[in-house]
Amino acid sequence: MLDESLLDAPEALARADRRGLLRGAAEAGARVRTAVRHAAEAGLTELKPDGRPRAVLIAGPGTAATCVADLLDGLAGTGCPVIRLAPTGVAPAAGALRWALPGWVGPVDLLLIATPDGTEPGLSLLAEQAYRRGCTVVAVAPARTPLAESVDGSHGLTVPMACSPYGAYEGAHDRTDRDSASYEARRVEDEAAPGAPGTLWALLVPLLVLLDRTGLLAAPVDTLQKVADRLDHVAERCGPAVATYSNPAKTLAAELADALPLIWTEGRSAGVAGRRFAATLAELAGHAALAAELPEALPAHGALLAGNPAGGDDTDDFFRDRVDDPAVLRARVVLLRDSPVDAGGLTAAPAARELAHGHDVAISELEPESGDELEALAELIAVTDFAAVYLALASADGS
């Protein structure tokens, strides 16, 4: 159950936010600027590659790395295949995960590693394997971690991950501070929510700079600065001090509290944002959600609209006592779109609205303000990140 009164109590939200989720959402714009600076200091902005890679492979743990791969795949389009290397292992712990290169990978391919941890032995082994095959390796990871040292030792390039600018520690893995109690306290706080908002941008931005230089996608530094500005603007609109009635993220969180979100997306960027929203709801708020792209979402989720997603008996005794009945989980459509008007006027949004309304299913819609593709994507991700955080904090078991 959602405590809606908590949404309009900023001080209570701050007390409930033991994982620093709101701070992570608010600092996304600052993370982008720091990541751009780190990429420039690492020399990415001055790269002059000989040509495009045959294929780009991406490895890393967790929701953020998965979203990085999904987003880069969408932005690269048909220019180059972008392949995520899924980990294997007996547990989701850093020491248990392993990654392997496909047999065809060689000197004309590019391996990207993105991790907010950097202690995974499997990623270090992957970098060494890529070096033996002549495959170029670029990693984004915390500075002075085993992975960073392994990549540098294999003649690869490591870009230090942009840390939180608001109280989090730079050089978190500096061994000179490992024995101090203050280091341990900071480490536990920072690692409490590896999927927290802000981590995505810290991992993604240096890779956008790199692939912009290779010509696989368009992400010049001035565009990334606009992305940072858009993220700051969303933080102002969706911050904890903004009342629910004028806060799109709090409003969406309240609407989804007792619902099964069916996240329907239209547009390449919206598809990435929708899949991330579903994953973030599960990871941060423990809230199940389903994501699908229009128009395929309509037949795929049609039965969920017609029935009761929570299951149960269709028969009902009108005279029975309902006081102790469990809350019924009803579907609610969340429609995410890249822009209000699509090229050529082709859109499945009217059919989506008609289907939802025909089954008396409520619908929430999010569309970004005008801007280029990266700005629109940033806005959709930022608003839904805030919504997932508010749902996590205001739920009885989410704080």
Side-chain angles (χ1 to χ4, degrees):
M1 297 295 293
L2 186 80
D3 182 1
E4 293 194 33
S5 64
L6 189 65
L7 292 178
D8 287 324
E11 293 182 359
L13 280 173
R15 288 192 299 270
D17 190 13
R18 294 190 290 269
R19 294 179 289 173
L21 300 178
L22 280 173
R23 184 187 68 185
E27 72 188 16
R31 287 268 190 128
V32 169
R33 296 184 183 91
T34 304
V36 169
R37 175 169 57 83
H38 286 182
E41 292 172 350
L44 291 184
T45 55
E46 303 300 326
L47 282 180
K48 297 180 179 179
D50 296 332
R52 293 184 176 185
R54 177 181 61 179
V56 175
L57 302 102
I58 303 177
T63 302
T66 301
C67 186
V68 166
D70 193 12
L71 193 149
L72 294 180
D73 183 28
L75 292 176
T78 59
C80 174
V82 178
I83 303 168
R84 176 180 177 262
L85 301 180
T88 58
V90 297
L97 296 176
R98 292 293 182 269
W99 289 260
L101 290 175
W104 51 263
V105 172
V108 294
D109 302 308
L110 172 63
L111 172 63
L112 306 179
I113 299 176
T115 174
D117 188 329
T119 64
E120 303 93 343
L123 288 177
S124 297
L125 292 173
L126 181 69
E128 295 170 4
Q129 183 184 7
Y131 171 67
R132 290 193 298 270
R133 298 213 200 161
C135 177
T136 301
V137 181
V138 177
V140 182
R144 294 177 289 277
T145 54
L147 174 63
E149 295 174 357
S150 177
V151 171
D152 292 340
S154 300
H155 303 284
L157 174 64
T158 301
V159 181
M161 176 182 165
C163 296
S164 168
Y166 305 126
Y169 53 101
E170 292 284 349
H173 297 267
D174 189 346
R175 289 182 175 80
T176 61
D177 194 29
R178 280 192 181 275
D179 296 331
S180 69
S182 60
Y183 167 82
E184 184 65 18
R186 293 194 304 268
R187 183 189 67 80
V188 171
E189 179 184 359
D190 193 67
E191 292 182 358
T199 302
L200 167 66
W201 300 105
L203 297 176
L204 173 66
V205 169
L207 302 182
L208 288 176
V209 174
L210 171 65
L211 296 187
D212 175 75
R213 298 300 299 172
T214 65
L216 288 179
L217 50 82
V221 171
D222 59 342
T223 296
L224 295 176
Q225 297 295 347
K226 293 179 181 178
V227 167
D229 293 340
R230 180 70 67 94
L231 291 171
D232 288 344
H233 178 57
V234 172
E236 293 174 358
R237 293 169 51 213
C238 299
V242 181
T244 299
Y245 68 86
S246 59
N247 187 320
K250 288 183 179 180
T251 299
L252 183 57
E255 291 170 345
L256 298 183
D258 299 317
L260 171 66
L262 303 180
I263 304 170
W264 294 352
T265 64
E266 187 169 59
R268 185 170 60 181
S269 297
V272 176
R275 289 186 289 274
R276 171 176 169 81
F277 187 29
T280 305
L281 283 172
E283 184 172 357
L284 298 185
H287 200 91
L290 299 174
E293 297 186 16
L294 292 174
E296 289 86 354
L298 303 184
H301 292 170
L304 293 175
L305 300 182
N308 175 10
D313 190 357
D314 291 334
T315 62
D316 190 13
D317 180 2
F318 181 80
F319 297 102
R320 65 184 170 80
D321 187 358
R322 292 175 171 79
V323 174
D324 296 325
D325 281 2
V328 176
L329 190 66
R330 300 293 185 184
R332 186 182 185 98
V333 171
V334 180
L335 180 59
L336 303 183
R337 305 179 67 206
D338 288 346
S339 58
V341 180
D342 299 274
L346 296 177
T347 173
R353 297 185 188 103
E354 182 179 356
L355 180 62
H357 293 155
H359 290 288
D360 292 325
V361 172
I363 184 168
S364 304
E365 298 193 36
L366 285 180
E367 294 174 352
E369 298 176 1
S370 59
D372 66 16
E373 186 175 20
L374 272 177
E375 289 181 76
L377 174 67
E379 181 174 339
L380 288 176
I381 289 178
V383 173
T384 52
D385 275 355
F386 266 106
V389 169
Y390 285 127
L391 191 57
L393 298 181
S395 297
D397 58 349
S399 60

